[in-house]
């Protein structure tokens, strides 16, 4: 089994058995809870509710139909982004609620915690589910980064992805790792094509 006590269910294809398993997952109440994020705008456009659904779609795209993982993906930003959110709302949804909340807490930055320390804690102590969820979350964010025009923000986000998310993806899902590499390459290519990298070099102290 390696370092994890269990391995997340990931069928090769969405066959009938997998479809029925997905059909049986009690997702609607989690989606309803996440609709509180509809008014929370994202830097790249859209809103945080769409990001939750996008993250879930990426997991399914990669073959993950684990109920805890998918339910957590739908509400993974609720604690951070909904003012005065009561985590007990997640626990009360169904019998998976407690495990879902525990997973959500793993991918939630604590108040006052530095982003680098938060990501490092996932690398060092995160569960398999937390690492998979964080990779899907970052893929969604990196795709959205294509609509961001602030080059300094793009550069910082690419650096963060390379330093913290690449090791996570390499550990749990090589195909996600490969997509993340390609996403970073395209964003860095944008920085080069826009002249940002050249201007930065020219303005740097010699």
């Amino acid at each position: 089994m390696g370092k994890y006590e269990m391995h997340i269910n990931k069928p090769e294809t969405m066959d009938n058995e997998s479809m029925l398993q997905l059909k049986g997952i009690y997702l609607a109440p989690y989606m309803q809870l996440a609709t509180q994020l509809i008014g929370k705008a994202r830097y790249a456009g859209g809103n945080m509710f769409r990001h939750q659904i996008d993250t879930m779609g990426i997991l399914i795209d990669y073959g993950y139909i684990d109920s805890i993982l998918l339910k957590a993906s739908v509400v993974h930003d609720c604690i951070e982004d909904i003012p005065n959110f009561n985590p007990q709302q997640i626990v009360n949804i169904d019998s998976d609620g407690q495990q879902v909340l525990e997973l959500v807490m793993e991918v939630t930055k604590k108040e006052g915690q530095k982003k680098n320390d938060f990501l490092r804690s996932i690398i060092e102590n995160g569960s398999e589910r937390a690492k998979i969820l964080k990779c899907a979350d970052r893929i969604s964010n990196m795709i959205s980064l294509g609509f961001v025009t602030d080059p300094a923000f793009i550069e910082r986000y690419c650096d963060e992805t390379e330093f913290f998310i690449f090791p996570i993806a390499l550990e749990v899902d090589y195909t996600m790792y490969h997509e993340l590499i390609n996403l970073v390459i395209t964003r860095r290519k944008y920085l080069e094509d826009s002249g940002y990298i050249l201007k930065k070099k020219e303005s740097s102290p010699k």
Side-chain angles (χ1 to χ4, degrees):
M1 278 282 186
K3 69 175 289 186
Y4 298 113
E5 295 181 359
M6 51 85 70
H7 285 290
I8 302 304
N9 184 20
K10 184 181 178 182
E12 293 296 324
T13 60
M14 182 62 73
D15 55 20
N16 284 340
E17 181 180 352
S18 302
M19 180 274 293
L20 291 172
Q21 182 177 339
L22 183 60
K23 178 184 176 183
I25 297 176
Y26 193 59
L27 282 170
Y30 288 90
M31 291 181 181
Q32 182 184 35
L33 190 60
T35 57
Q36 296 177 61
L37 290 164
I38 288 175
K40 182 74 173 179
R42 302 195 78 205
Y43 187 46
N47 61 50
M48 290 303 296
F49 173 73
R50 296 182 194 176
H51 169 60
Q52 313 303 291
I53 303 303
D54 188 39
T55 301
M56 180 182 68
I58 289 168
L59 289 169
I60 295 173
D61 180 33
Y62 275 97
Y64 294 104
I65 53 174
D66 175 81
S67 63
I68 306 298
L69 185 58
L70 294 184
K71 289 173 180 179
S73 71
V74 174
V75 294
H76 74 272
D77 284 317
C78 285
I79 293 174
E80 278 191 39
D81 291 318
I82 298 175
N84 303 313
F85 181 81
N86 181 2
Q88 193 65 33
Q89 292 180 80
I90 296 175
V91 175
N92 292 340
I93 290 178
D94 61 7
S95 60
D96 286 338
Q98 183 60 47
Q99 291 185 74
V100 173
L101 175 61
E102 290 170 5
L103 178 51
V104 169
M105 293 304 299
E106 281 195 79
V107 297
T108 298
K109 187 169 72 71
K110 297 178 178 65
E111 187 175 352
Q113 186 179 28
K114 293 181 179 179
K115 183 72 171 294
N116 288 358
D117 291 338
F118 161 63
L119 293 173
R120 192 175 291 111
S121 71
I122 295 179
I123 292 174
E124 296 174 354
N125 305 307
S127 66
E128 183 181 16
R129 283 187 176 118
K131 292 180 177 183
I132 293 168
L133 178 52
K134 195 61 197 172
C135 288
D137 173 56
R138 184 54 62 111
I139 288 171
S140 173
N141 288 335
M142 285 299 299
I143 291 171
S144 296
L145 200 62
F147 298 95
V148 175
T149 56
D150 179 350
F153 180 88
I154 294 170
E155 184 179 42
R156 288 197 306 271
Y157 208 75
C158 286
D159 289 345
E160 181 184 280
T161 300
E162 288 189 43
F163 193 81
F164 294 106
I165 309 301
F166 279 8
I168 295 173
L170 190 58
E171 180 181 350
V172 294
D173 194 310
Y174 185 76
T175 51
M176 283 186 168
Y177 171 66
H178 185 70
E179 180 171 3
L180 284 163
I181 288 175
N182 287 335
L183 287 167
V184 168
I185 288 173
T186 61
R187 292 299 83 213
R188 292 204 183 280
K189 181 69 163 52
Y190 165 78
L191 295 178
E192 292 177 3
D193 292 346
S194 67
Y196 171 77
I197 299 297
L198 180 60
K199 290 177 183 176
K200 186 178 178 182
K201 289 180 179 178
E202 291 175 345
S203 64
S204 62
K206 296 183 179 179

